[in-house]
Amino acid sequence: MTVAIIRFGGSNCDRDALRALDHLDIDAEIVWHADGLPESLTGIIVPGGFSYGDYLRAGAMAARAPVMDEVRAAADDGVPVLGVCNGAQIGSESGLTAGAFTTNRSARFQCEPVHLRIENADTPWTAAFEEGDVIEVPIAHGEGRFEITDDRLETLNEENRVLVRYCDADGNVTDEANPNGSKGNIAGILGENDHVAVLMPHPERASLPDIGSTDGQAILEGFAR
Amino acid sequence: MMTVTDCFALSDDVHRIVSAVERPAHVRKVTIVLTPERTLSDMTAYTATVTVRLKRGVLDPEAETTKRALERLGFELDGLRSTDRFELDLDADDAAGAESRATEMAERLLANPTIHDYDVEVAEA
């Protein structure tokens, strides 16, 4: 029983995710995408990086890799799935979650700590928090601006599918606190079910005490819930 | 015996037909007869051009940056939009067949319907 961390050519946060889960005593292994998923799964991480060199659009190629059919099937069976950064782009490109992540408003790659407001605390990923809690986790992306049609955004909000929004240190969701121009300051959303989530910030980079913030731990502990 | 997998070597049309055949559990194989009229050599070569652009109203920071760079060079312009253009060489029975396949490719990969519009033009190669 293990969490599968799917490695594509160009993934580069797979080992970070493994190290973070090891630290949390959550059994995990890196799985090469072409080898398919292991039989008994406790979860799936689609990690960050630059799968397929971001050809066409970030995540577009990996989203059409055969392993993503297995990910969809596992998600339908109730296996928790977390897409981080490039994994979030792959998740939205593959239809696991709504919307799209595209070029930052700044047109630059941005690597910096951000504050996130917990919008829905009733999920495996956010069960350790209360709605409105603020956490600090880094972002590292050039294409993280969340875009979605207005009517689908309304549905996301109505159905409480927004997981986290960019905010300031006090939890105010403002344009100044929006690092990349994401619609509604959205940094992470849920799929059709609460056990499927994607987010641009990196919880695995905020999980080891020696490095700094450990606010990401509680999100990864979703795999142990 | 030909399996569906074998058909990948044949044209997309044949593969589509084989995939669409309902095979009852007691039927062990399905035989497909290819008539000479349906061979590849009778098809026409087309180039389908798929142009993918951001929907109006979706911010394009790279285009904005490019526009500012042009202005720094002394050019005057009111707007700049960038597009991705894909040229697909394919064989089909007719232009409509080529267009429908290129359209499907745009829908499934070349464009992201959340942020993109696209158009398809077909010409004989």
Side-chain angles (χ1 to χ4, degrees):
Chain A
M1 299 293 280
T2 187
V3 174
I5 303 165
I6 302 175
R7 171 186 281 168
F8 294 96
S11 297
N12 67 9
C13 298
D14 42 351
R15 286 176 299 170
D16 294 348
L18 183 63
R19 206 168 290 139
L21 290 177
D22 274 352
H23 180 76
L24 298 171
D25 284 327
I26 297 170
D27 191 42
E29 64 177 282
I30 293 172
V31 174
W32 175 242
H33 74 95
D35 293 340
L37 296 177
E39 290 263 321
S40 58
L41 276 175
T42 50
I44 297 168
I45 289 188
V46 187
F50 299 87
S51 58
Y52 297 86
D54 280 353
Y55 289 175
L56 192 63
R57 295 177 300 275
M61 297 293 143
R64 275 88 180 168
V67 73
M68 290 308 294
D69 292 332
E70 294 184 56
V71 172
R72 263 187 293 271
D76 288 345
D77 286 345
V79 174
V81 178
L82 184 67
V84 174
C85 196
N86 189 226
Q89 296 160 337
I90 294 168
S92 66
E93 277 282 343
S94 67
L96 272 176
T97 54
F101 294 98
T102 187
T103 313
N104 291 348
R105 179 169 53 186
S106 65
R108 292 181 184 183
F109 188 91
Q110 289 173 251
C111 188
E112 60 203 47
V114 296
H115 291 102
L116 301 174
R117 183 183 189 276
I118 305 296
E119 293 292 317
N120 180 347
D122 195 20
T123 80
W125 318 106
T126 49
F129 303 110
E130 302 286 335
E131 186 187 325
D133 279 357
V134 177
I135 61 173
E136 188 181 313
V137 176
I139 56 166
H141 60 243
E143 293 168 47
R145 176 169 57 99
F146 185 69
E147 278 289 344
I148 191 166
T149 56
D150 289 341
D151 54 330
R152 294 194 78 186
L153 178 62
E154 206 177 308
T155 309
L156 269 190
N157 286 325
E158 277 169 9
E159 295 179 353
N160 206 14
R161 321 288 324 147
V162 178
L163 190 66
V164 284
R165 291 183 207 267
Y166 300 109
C167 65
D168 65 19
D170 299 321
N172 302 305
V173 177
T174 63
D175 194 46
E176 293 72 45
N178 188 343
N180 54 24
S182 289
K183 253 192 189 171
N185 283 46
I186 290 171
I189 58 169
L190 297 162
E192 276 177 35
N193 295 297
D194 291 350
H195 64 270
V196 175
V198 302
L199 74 169
M200 288 309 299
H202 288 269
E204 81 283 7
R205 294 192 192 177
S207 290
L208 302 177
D210 291 344
I211 293 175
S213 165
T214 53
D215 288 353
Q217 286 184 356
I219 292 175
L220 298 179
E221 277 165 352
F223 287 112
R225 290 191 183 100
Chain B
M1 186 180 87
M2 179 162 67
T3 66
V4 171
T5 316
D6 295 329
C7 294
F8 278 116
L10 302 173
S11 79
D12 286 351
D13 287 343
V14 174
H15 180 236
R16 204 169 293 135
I17 292 163
V18 175
S19 302
V21 169
E22 289 277 339
R23 185 172 66 84
H26 63 278
V27 176
R28 291 193 56 210
K29 68 170 182 178
V30 177
T31 305
I32 304 290
V33 179
L34 297 179
T35 62
E37 290 78 17
R38 297 283 300 156
T39 57
L40 285 174
S41 57
D42 286 336
M43 295 178 126
T44 310
Y46 292 96
T47 297
T49 303
V50 178
T51 306
V52 177
R53 52 173 65 80
L54 283 171
K55 285 180 176 168
R56 283 287 181 147
V58 176
L59 183 70
D60 187 345
E62 288 181 5
E64 282 299 312
T65 305
T66 309
K67 175 172 174 281
R68 280 201 300 276
L70 285 171
E71 287 166 344
R72 262 201 305 277
L73 291 172
F75 294 104
E76 286 180 25
L77 70 165
D78 295 329
L80 182 152
R81 289 170 294 285
S82 61
T83 61
D84 287 327
R85 174 180 149 133
F86 303 89
E87 295 174 1
L88 314 166
D89 297 329
L90 39 85
D91 294 319
D93 288 335
D94 51 31
E99 184 176 340
S100 84
R101 265 162 65 202
T103 300
E104 198 180 340
M105 293 181 210
E107 285 281 330
R108 292 190 53 194
L109 177 64
L110 301 178
N112 180 335
T114 301
I115 51 174
H116 291 137
D117 288 327
Y118 64 88
D119 55 54
V120 178
E121 284 173 47
V122 171
E124 281 194 34

